[in-house]
Amino acid sequence: MFQQSINKRKRKVRKGSRVMVGFTLPVVILYSLFFLVPLLMGFYYSLTNWNGISKTYKIVGFSNYVKVIMNPRFLNAIWFNARYMVLLVILVTVVSLVIAMALNRTKLCSTLFRSIYFVPAILSLVTVALIWNELFYRVIPVIGQQLGIEWLSTSLLGNPKTAIYAILAVNLWQGCSIPTVLFIAGLQSVPMELYEAATVDGAGRWARFKNITVPFLIPVINMVIITQVKAGLTVFDYIKAMTDGGPGHATEAIGLLVYKYSMQENKYSQSVAVAMILFVIVGMISLITLRITGDKQVEGD
Amino acid sequence: MRKEKKFIVLLMVTVLSIALLGGCGKSASDANKGDGANSSGNQVQTSGKDSSEVTKIEFFQTKREATETMDQIIAAFEKEYPNIKVEQNIVPDADTVLMARAASDDMPDLFNHYPTDANFLQFAKDGKVKDLTDKPYTANVIPEYLESVKVDGKNYIMPFSIEFFGIYYNVDKFEAGGYEVPKTWAELVALADKIEQDGDIPFILSNKDSWTISQALVFNIETKDRGSHAEFYQQLLDGKASFETDSIFRPALEKTYWMVEHGQPDSISVSYDQAINDFATGKGVMFPQGIYSLPSLEAANPDLNVAMFPMPNDSGNVKETVRIDMAIAAGKNSNNNEEAVDTFLSYLTSKEGAQMFSDLDHSLSAIKTVEATIPKAQAVVDSINANRVLDGAAPPAGFEQAKRSELQTLVMDGDVDKCLKRLDIVWKEAVSGQ
Amino acid sequence: MEQITKNSTKIKKGTSYTLRTALIYIFLIIGLIIILFPFYITIITAFKTTSESAANFFAFPKSFYLDNFKAVLQKANYFTYFFNSVAITVVAVVFILLLTTMCAYAISRNMNHSKYHKAIYYYLLFGIFVPFQAVMVPLVKYTGDLRLNNQTGLVLLHITFAASQAIFLLVNYIRSVPSDLESAALIDGCTIQGAYWRIVLPLIRPMLMTILVLNAMWIWNDFLMSLLILNKSPNTWTIPLFQYNFKSQYTFDYNMAFASYLVAMVPIMIIYAFVQRYIVSGLTQGAVKS
């Protein structure tokens, strides 16, 4: 009898509750208004020849997509983002993990070290990019000349071959802070007894790292990879503030191409077409990453 | 019940913070009412009738070098017309903002733009700017300039200042090295060699900002032989000419690349601002640029002893080509302040306002009564007085942007042939994109 | 840096503990120098005159030249921008915490049996895969049409674009929290609102901290969205916008530019000095354990 009434109540609470629907409404409404509507608008405009301001326009089907894909600038942008993303994911993961392991070992001044290593994360990307912009022009070449390193003797941002690495370096300078903190927390969640037991069993340093540390870090690694994949595919602020896509088109990322097409080059409808393609690419790659990292997590568990 | 109360309290806090947010939004909009940014109807005011009421107009500044000059003119204007308050609005990426504002029918009352710019032509065609053809103050403008900026026979923009290009040089270094101002291209080449022998850098360039390559180098060199682009563009449209076969463009690109070779070794990584700072603080000997850079050079180093000479060509008989630099348009919007806008435009184009601008900005004026005195560029002004050509031709939308990237590629690889071919391609793309 | 890494992993078992520790410290100190170097340059340049910098860019300033700072503060309405940044960040973060937890709570307790909540979950999750640039262009026109290209609009957008990630993190977290306590409370006659406020919120505090820190840092530093939405008038600017504009207006004087970088960084550095413990623990508590 009593049990029944509980169940009844539970059901009432669960199913009939308008409150539970009401709780979701503010977010759902905002999200629909400011996310879904613009997304659909964007798709619609990508099928027109609208220039962004005129009163009339025609539906032109998928011809904007054809124009975009045929343009070498677009392929160039895709290639830039692909390289940037892969390098960013690998480097951020490796560098932050190494720093985290080192920081995890320190006892002397460890708080000081950790707080300084985190500082870049709290700064705005624009400020960081602007400072590095000056450093690349006025400071680093001087150091390069002093050390006699030729590729460092001129601004890395000015060379189409090295500009991507210069941007990447700045991104790493700032972007490793949060992953490092996450990795430290992950490392601290590994029970020390496991290491001790493994050492007694004669496991080497690498074996311990591979078989004990990594499995415990899998959730963090997944999170880092997923966030960096998206960051790499949508990189914008650093490029806007440092090279604006140059020299030539060497650092023209897709995000910047969308911006330039729509705001500077009167190619509004093509810019939304690029944006739609970017959406599909990011969606697909994110799904694949989620799938892969999800599988790994199961293995790890 | 008590828990419910708590929830109600929470809701009230929410509502309150919304109100607060709205409040802070409002107070900000009150503060900038006049710049038309929050173009709700609450700004509807009539000017002049009631002396206590102040009409505000927004002047949207797209040319950041002119900001401080405009501030001074506005101050003088407001003294004379206390009923009108002009708020100058300067934002980063002004072109982008203007496009966005045009898209949402929120044009500023007044803004400066470039009559041949593709975005501006779009504004004119799509009815985003007011037709100024019949305004009395158009009579203040030199007719040739007024004529050159007409779109479909109408004036949507008022030419205001005239820009010209040349080569700035460090006068102290010229005196110390015993250099002479070159009259022909060959003399410029010899001068550059001599400067290099003396261990200095002949040219300070800012090739990271591709617009400077297009204007300060290619346009600067090319127009000394070509003059106006009107005929060339028409021939390109008719298929009778191409960049590849044109007799002026190829040598102009070759000369551009020659300058790059005699610029700083890493000129591709130097931005316009950095170049201004470098040249003003004594790096290099010459700096090819437009007259609009002079206020910035002086700001970067007030003690700089600088002058400008005309860009030479092979023969020494140059077509001293000028362009309309700043021009002013009035955006269509719902702010009911046309009278005030007209008053300000009349003032700007009057002898008083335009003379003040010319004096402060060191530019030539499109206004009839103004006498420009630019002692630091006297040689170029003389050359203009002797051989002036006005270039008011506009390429198809998107071409200038695409051209800049191609020219930047040329600066990096020096491949003139490839660059000419690419220019023909991007021209066709721009034409078909229209 | 790479070399050092190699060295530290190369070390064989037999190497003495102290040598290993020393190498770790050397590695960390090199990292520290790389991190602090830009700050050093920023600070010394901001306190030097142009000619001092032209003579030697790296040297310490001879005297503390303050005119750069005076010029920065004079030329720009710095305190307005600071206030705008604070207002936008605080209001947006409060709403994000409130609205997304409500939504995530409803989803996680109902998604097993309510089609609506399950659908909503995936609908909101979809946003994770959509880059901001994909909606940015229409969004500018759209917010302009709605007359929301102002601070209110920016806050609404921040809430919208924070929702997907926050919902994702929260739903997973709340589902890992047993619902026994709430059930008991509900049986005792507590309303759902009450259970949410009194029981669920305290239980998920670690994740709330994570979301608070992530979003506060993101919103405080946001550039692109503010550039698109707030760029109409300087009165509504945030600090990153002030920074970007100042740089484009005055960089031929780079000493002044560096002073502006410093001025833009100072508030957040001060805040960090006081709350760093909470920032770091906030980031990790929710994120690592979920």
Side-chain angles (χ1 to χ4, degrees), chain A residues 281-292:
Chain A
I281 293 174
V282 173
M284 271 169 27
I285 294 182
S286 307
L287 273 178
I288 294 168
T289 342
L290 269 185
R291 182 59 60 80
I292 294 172

Side-chain angles (χ1 to χ4, degrees), chain A residues 36-266:
Chain A
L36 195 70
V37 171
L39 190 67
L40 295 175
M41 277 168 74
F43 179 65
Y44 172 69
Y45 289 137
S46 76
L47 304 176
T48 71
N49 68 348
W50 196 42
N51 64 9
I53 55 175
S54 65
K55 292 201 171 63
T56 57
Y57 51 84
K58 281 187 304 217
I59 305 264
V60 294
F62 283 87
S63 70
N64 286 317
Y65 290 88
V66 176
K67 269 188 202 159
V68 163
I69 292 170
M70 299 294 279
N71 193 328
R73 262 174 92 183
F74 176 72
L75 297 177
N76 175 59
I78 296 266
W79 175 229
F80 174 87
N81 272 100
R83 281 184 301 160
Y84 192 87
M85 178 196 79
V86 170
L87 288 171
L88 186 72
V89 170
I90 295 173
L91 289 172
V92 166
T93 314
V94 172
V95 173
S96 344
L97 183 56
V98 170
I99 295 175
M101 287 170 72
L103 283 174
N104 200 33
R105 288 282 182 78
T106 55
K107 294 198 180 71
L108 200 66
C109 318
S110 78
T111 330
L112 183 71
F113 271 115
R114 283 173 205 192
S115 23
I116 293 176
Y117 269 87
F118 190 74
V119 166
I122 62 171
L123 302 179
S124 113
L125 276 71
V126 180
T127 312
V128 168
L130 293 176
I131 291 175
W132 277 97
N133 199 19
E134 282 309 308
L135 296 184
F136 275 124
Y137 176 58
R138 298 189 190 279
V139 176
I140 292 175
V142 179
I143 298 172
Q145 282 155 17
Q146 292 288 319
L147 298 175
I149 305 170
E150 201 183 320
W151 58 270
L152 259 188
S153 304
T154 56
S155 170
L156 293 175
L157 287 173
N159 182 335
K161 288 206 183 75
T162 55
I164 179 173
Y165 304 108
I167 295 171
L168 204 59
V170 177
N171 198 340
L172 280 180
W173 183 84
Q174 186 170 34
C176 283
S177 300
I178 292 181
T180 302
V181 168
L182 297 180
F183 276 127
I184 292 176
L187 287 170
Q188 283 169 349
S189 71
V190 186
M192 283 314 280
E193 305 91 72
L194 282 182
Y195 285 123
E196 281 153 22
T199 318
V200 172
D201 289 349
R205 192 169 290 280
W206 173 246
R208 274 179 286 161
F209 174 74
K210 204 181 110 196
N211 297 323
I212 303 172
T213 315
V214 172
F216 270 93
L217 289 182
I218 287 282
V220 183
I221 294 176
N222 285 346
M223 192 164 159
V224 171
I225 289 178
I226 292 168
T227 51
Q228 296 308 315
V229 162
K230 202 173 162 193
L233 287 174
T234 58
V235 55
F236 179 88
D237 295 20
Y238 292 126
I239 298 179
K240 181 88 188 89
M242 286 199 286
T243 62
D244 204 19
H249 297 296
T251 57
E252 206 167 63
I254 307 178
L256 193 70
L257 199 64
V258 175
Y259 185 85
K260 280 190 168 179
Y261 269 13
S262 65
M263 308 291 187
Q264 295 170 355
E265 299 184 26
N266 302 75

Side-chain angles (χ1 to χ4, degrees), chain A residues 132-138 141 152-160 162-163 166 242-243 246-248, chain B residues 205-210 213 260 264-275 278 283 408 411-412, chain C residues 247:
Chain A
W132 277 97
N133 199 19
E134 282 309 308
L135 296 184
F136 275 124
Y137 176 58
R138 298 189 190 279
L152 259 188
S153 304
T154 56
S155 170
L156 293 175
L157 287 173
N159 182 335
T162 55
M242 286 199 286
T243 62
Chain B
L205 305 175
S206 52
N207 297 331
K208 184 177 177 184
D209 284 322
S210 56
I213 311 172
V260 172
Q264 320 94 297
D266 59 343
S267 66
I268 191 72
S269 54
V270 183
S271 70
Y272 173 65
D273 306 303
Q274 288 164 338
D278 286 350
K283 198 172 174 188
Q408 201 176 40
V411 165
M412 289 185 287
Chain C
K247 123 97 191 173

